[in-house]
């Protein structure tokens, strides 16, 4: 699992499609070479953008399905609200948190624009060779250093109430998981170079290997330690005591298996790199190849990320304190991570795929100082993303309980606290999508420095909000059940503030952002989704009347458990989702929203590719 953080904690793509995901979207993930590259696909044609987005969405969809299976197996192995699950989540989140702080954001901000420019001056391969060589060396040094510092890192990011059992187990897991940093970096470096050569698929399909390996190792753990896993899942306050003594082989198999999955994710890109015509060989000497500009961008990206880490640490400590409060039914780090995983499903399937395919066009337009074209591309992408995220966020709120039960059938009694956190995240989904589009514009201009004030504002929102939640909790005015819910609301608020500040900065920089068209699209989408949500609410009330679900509320839960409960949850998601989506599309059509055709075209393109496969 990975620990989702603030708006500047940019994840390595969506990583293993389970809990390792970026709170503001994946790294930029270049889509293709610049227009002057004759052997690459043209990213200036709408069809090519939709095609590239469809390839990536298809890979993400397959990996997401396996990711849900991986999450369900993990819950079956160590539960969803146990000491072991929170300790493993903390340890397995550290590699992505630290990687994204120290490396990923810099790569996202630097690599795509620099490679596009390198291809334009016919210096692409030499530049890439030197960049990869430098990157691998830096990654190796960082990995060794940070692995040695695991005890300090665990205390910094998850001490909470100071439960020694949870912390000691997290440290043991951490020594096995921290080496993931090197292979995350290897995956990101090679994958983004592949995308810059117009090879979209491998980068998005590689996490499939990760999930397969992870599921296999967890299955082996369950087979070898069946009684041990059963005892963990059965533990509850007032009931059996959760076993907290883990052997070295158990720790190595569970945490080492997670790392082995990341190794597989990186290594499967090597054959794809050769097929794309990238013949890497180590090159030393980094003067005269334009890395000074890249280093400047990387520095400011690191500053923004470092500021965002204050919010990450605050949320982690609050979740740890909630877990250590010893109250049954509390959402801890693991529930937060599972909720964020569900929140990221629509974002990674549509938003990331579309914006990743648009980014090379933005980079090329920014390099040519075509500010009006940049604004047009951004506005179009943000409007299409908005139509989708407004619908997806509403469905996530309306169906939070059935959605958690459908995606994580083994979650058991942790469904309600997890679903509550899902609701808090889904509130911020539309802003999250626009914010992701804004980031692409800043990075296209290599303006990481311009994001620093936004990082300060976002971190301030998270710090003040989580601080208020902690103080109210310590005073006894706020139940520990709501602490992590409050942290998730704080994250949603930070996305909204980040979007507003980023849009204001973009308007100053490029003169126009197509704000009028963007606002009109979102207002029409909001009107349409209110009507559609009413229809969905009627269906849920009818389901409650016949005993399929409990009372319709903020978190509506399916009645029953086991296979029947899961089938009801899946059926409700399909029926309510179809009704709400159908009404939404009809109302958008009546309102004559032009972006609807582009969104439908992208979905049709994806469906065609699924049929061909």
């Amino acid at each position: 699992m990975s620990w989702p953080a603030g708006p500047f904690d940019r994840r390595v793509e969506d990583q293993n499609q389970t809990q390792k995901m970026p709170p503001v979207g994946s790294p930029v993930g270049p889509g293709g070479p610049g227009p002057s590259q004759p052997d690459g696909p043209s990213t200036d044609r709408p069809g090519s953008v939709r095609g590239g987005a469809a390839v990536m969405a298809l890979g993400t969809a397959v990996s997401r399905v396996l990711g849900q299976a991986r999450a369900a197996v993990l819950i079956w192995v160590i539960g969803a609200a146990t000491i072991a699950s929170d300790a493993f989540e903390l340890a397995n989140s550290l590699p992505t948190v630290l990687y994204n702080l120290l490396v990923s954001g810099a790569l996202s901000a630097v690599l795509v624009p620099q490679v596009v420019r390198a291809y334009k001056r016919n210096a692409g391969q030499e530049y890439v060779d030197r960049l990869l060589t430098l990157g691998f060396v830096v990654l190796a040094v960082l990995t060794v250093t940070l692995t040695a510092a695991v005890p300090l890192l665990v205390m910094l990011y998850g001490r909470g109430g100071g439960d020694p059992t949870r912390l000691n187990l997290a440290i043991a897991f951490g020594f096995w998981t921290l080496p993931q940093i090197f292979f995350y970096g290897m995956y990101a470096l090679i994958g983004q170079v592949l995308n810059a050569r117009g090879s979209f698929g491998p980068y998005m399909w590689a996490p499939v290997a990760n999930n397969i390996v992870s599921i296999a190792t967890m299955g082996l753990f369950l087979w070898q330690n069946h009684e041990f896993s059963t005892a963990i899942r059965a533990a509850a306050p007032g009931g059996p005591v959760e076993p907290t003594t883990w052997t070295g082989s158990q720790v190595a198999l569970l945490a080492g298996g997670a790392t082995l999955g990341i190794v597989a994710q990186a290594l499967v890109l090597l054959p794809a790199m050769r097929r794309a015509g990238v013949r890497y060989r180590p090159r030393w000497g980094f003067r005269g190849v334009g890395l000074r500009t890249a280093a400047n961008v990387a520095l400011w990206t690191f500053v923004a990320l470092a500021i965002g880490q204050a919010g990450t640490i605050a949320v982690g400590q609050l979740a740890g304190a909630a877990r250590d409060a010893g109250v049954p039914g509390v959402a801890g780090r693991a529930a937060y991570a599972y909720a964020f995983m569900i929140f990221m499903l629509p974002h990674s399937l549509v938003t990331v795929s579309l914006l990743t395919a648009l980014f090379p066009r933005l980079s090329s337009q920014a390099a040519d100082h075509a500010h009006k074209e940049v604004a047009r591309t951004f506005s179009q992408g943000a409007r299409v993303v908005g139509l989708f995220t407004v619908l997806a966020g509403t469905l996530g709120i309306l169906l939070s309980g059935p959605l958690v039960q459908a995606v994580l059938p083994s979650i058991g009694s942790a469904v309600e606290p997890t679903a509550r956190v899902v609701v808090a995240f889904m509130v911020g989904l539309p802003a999250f999508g626009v914010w992701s589009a804004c980031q692409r514009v800043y990075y296209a201009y290599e303006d990481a420095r311009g994001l620093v004030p936004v990082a300060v504002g976002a971190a301030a929102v998270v710090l003040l909000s989580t601080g208020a939640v902690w103080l109210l909790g310590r005073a006894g005015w706020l139940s520990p059940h709501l602490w992590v819910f409050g942290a998730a609301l704080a994250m949603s608020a930070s996305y909204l503030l980040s979007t507003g500040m980023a849009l204001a900065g973009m308007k100053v920089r490029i003169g126009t952002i197509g704000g009028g068209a963007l606002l009109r699209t979102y207002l029409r989408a909001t009107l349409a989704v209110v009507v559609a949500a009413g229809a969905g609410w009627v269906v849920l009330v009818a389901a409650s009347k016949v005993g399929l679900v409990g009372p319709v509320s903020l978190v509506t839960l399916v009645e029953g458990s086991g296979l029947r409960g899961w089938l009801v949850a899946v059926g409700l998601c399909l029926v309510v989702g179809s009704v709400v989506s159908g009404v939404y599309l009809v109302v958008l059509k009546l309102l004559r929203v032009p972006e609807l055709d582009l969104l439908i075209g992208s979905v049709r393109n994806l469906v065609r590719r699924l049929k061909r496969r």
Side-chain angles (χ1 to χ4, degrees):
M1 294 175 217
S2 161
W3 185 241
F8 291 89
D9 188 9
R10 301 179 55 80
R11 298 284 172 221
V12 192
E13 187 256 331
D14 260 15
Q15 286 327 336
N16 54 11
Q17 311 301 336
T18 53
Q19 286 77 36
K20 300 199 178 207
M21 56 298 232
V24 293
S26 312
V28 172
S36 64
Q37 177 78 357
D39 58 347
S42 172
T43 55
D44 289 332
R45 299 191 307 270
S48 69
V49 171
R50 288 196 298 266
V55 170
M56 290 180 285
L58 179 58
T60 301
V62 174
S63 194
R64 279 290 179 186
V65 171
L66 288 173
Q68 308 320 308
R70 178 187 185 276
V73 173
L74 182 60
I75 291 173
W76 190 252
V77 172
I78 56 173
T82 63
I83 294 173
S85 64
D86 274 20
F88 183 77
E89 194 285 322
L90 172 57
N92 206 30
S93 73
L94 287 175
T96 42
V97 168
L98 296 170
Y99 171 82
N100 286 297
L101 170 63
L102 299 170
V103 182
S104 178
L107 289 182
S108 300
V110 169
L111 191 57
V112 181
Q114 288 294 318
V115 169
V116 167
R117 286 163 173 76
Y119 281 133
K120 282 189 173 185
R121 65 176 186 266
N122 297 319
Q125 190 55 55
E126 179 181 348
Y127 178 86
V128 169
D129 285 345
R130 296 184 190 279
L131 188 62
L132 289 175
T133 302
L134 178 62
F136 291 148
V137 171
V138 171
L139 285 167
V141 173
L142 280 174
T143 300
V144 172
T145 303
L146 294 173
T147 300
V150 163
L152 294 176
L153 295 170
V154 166
M155 293 297 177
L156 177 63
Y157 281 90
R159 187 175 186 276
D163 178 14
T165 300
R166 178 177 58 84
L167 295 174
N168 289 337
L169 185 56
I171 291 170
F173 286 142
F175 282 114
W176 284 96
T177 59
L178 258 293
Q180 294 175 15
I181 292 173
F182 179 85
F183 296 98
Y184 278 142
M186 181 179 178
Y187 164 73
L189 281 167
I190 297 175
Q192 293 202 38
V193 169
L194 283 173
N195 285 355
R197 293 292 295 172
S199 180
F200 293 94
Y203 189 43
M204 291 301 192
W205 283 87
V208 170
N210 175 15
N211 284 316
I212 291 173
V213 171
S214 296
I215 290 171
T217 55
M218 285 189 290
L220 179 60
F221 181 94
L222 191 61
W223 178 65
Q224 292 184 347
N225 304 276
H226 177 70
E227 293 183 359
F228 184 75
S229 292
T230 301
I232 291 177
R233 296 194 310 273
V241 176
E242 178 181 338
T244 54
T245 301
W246 286 59
T247 66
S249 61
Q250 289 172 330
V251 170
L253 183 55
L254 187 63
T259 298
L260 188 60
I262 307 303
V263 174
Q265 177 175 288
L267 294 184
V268 296
L269 291 183
L270 294 178
M273 185 168 66
R274 296 189 64 83
R275 287 196 302 271
V278 179
R279 299 292 188 267
Y280 165 69
R281 67 183 183 85
R283 292 179 187 264
W284 303 93
F286 307 110
R287 288 191 173 187
V289 294
L291 287 179
R292 178 169 297 180
T293 301
N296 185 56
V297 176
L299 173 62
W300 287 109
T301 304
F302 170 78
V303 171
L305 286 164
I307 293 170
Q309 286 299 295
T312 304
I313 293 170
V315 173
Q317 295 289 357
L318 184 64
R323 157 59 56 199
D324 296 344
V327 179
V330 167
R333 292 184 64 98
Y336 184 99
Y338 285 124
F340 193 83
M341 174 193 72
I342 293 172
F343 166 72
M344 283 300 298
L345 281 171
H347 180 79
S348 58
L349 285 173
V350 175
T351 304
V352 169
S353 300
L354 180 63
L355 295 181
T356 298
L358 282 176
F359 187 67
R361 183 196 297 182
L362 284 170
S363 295
S364 182
Q365 291 167 344
D368 295 335
H369 302 287
H371 303 319
K372 290 184 178 179
E373 295 301 318
V374 169
R376 186 177 296 112
T377 300
F378 161 77
S379 181
Q380 182 188 62
R383 295 197 308 270
V384 174
V385 164
L387 290 184
F388 176 75
T389 54
V390 167
L391 172 63
T394 301
L395 284 173
I397 294 171
L398 199 62
L399 292 169
S400 62
L403 189 59
V404 170
Q405 289 169 285
V407 172
L408 302 170
S410 57
I411 196 167
S413 61
V415 59
E416 186 172 1
T418 304
R420 194 182 300 120
V421 181
V422 169
V423 170
F425 274 127
M426 289 295 178
V427 169
L429 185 62
F432 190 83
V434 180
W435 162 238
S436 297
C438 291
Q439 280 187 311
R440 269 63 175 184
V441 176
Y442 277 85
Y443 288 140
Y445 281 103
E446 299 184 294
D447 185 19
R449 183 175 182 177
L451 290 174
V452 172
V454 189
V456 173
V461 168
V462 176
L463 285 171
L464 291 173
S465 300
T466 53
V469 169
W470 184 81
L471 289 173
L472 290 173
R474 293 282 292 182
W477 295 339
L478 190 66
S479 167
H481 293 90
L482 297 176
W483 292 6
V484 173
F485 174 78
L489 279 180
M491 299 305 302
S492 290
S494 74
Y495 300 144
L496 182 62
L497 177 66
S498 298
T499 300
M501 294 181 68
L503 287 172
M506 284 168 52
K507 189 169 184 179
V508 172
R509 168 124 198 183
I510 63 180
T512 178
I513 55 173
L518 190 64
L519 181 61
R520 285 192 297 273
T521 297
Y522 272 79
L523 287 176
R524 292 174 181 176
T526 301
L527 175 60
V529 88
V530 168
V531 176
W537 181 82
V538 170
V539 176
L540 281 178
V541 170
S544 178
K545 295 292 186 183
V546 298
L548 293 178
V549 299
V552 179
S553 60
L554 180 66
V555 175
T556 303
L557 298 178
V558 170
E559 295 288 345
S561 58
L563 179 60
R564 179 186 179 277
W566 180 77
L567 290 174
V568 171
V570 172
L572 272 175
C573 289
L574 291 176
V575 172
V576 176
S578 298
V579 170
V580 173
S581 300
V583 174
Y584 180 70
L585 293 175
V586 168
V587 177
L588 287 179
K589 199 72 175 178
L590 292 175
L591 294 175
R592 297 181 180 179
V593 177
E595 295 80 15
L596 181 60
D597 292 334
L598 183 57
L599 178 61
I600 292 175
S602 298
V603 174
R604 284 175 177 168
N605 206 340
L606 174 59
V607 171
R608 290 193 200 103
R609 291 177 180 274
L610 281 168
K611 288 181 177 179
R612 287 202 297 268
R613 289 174 182 271

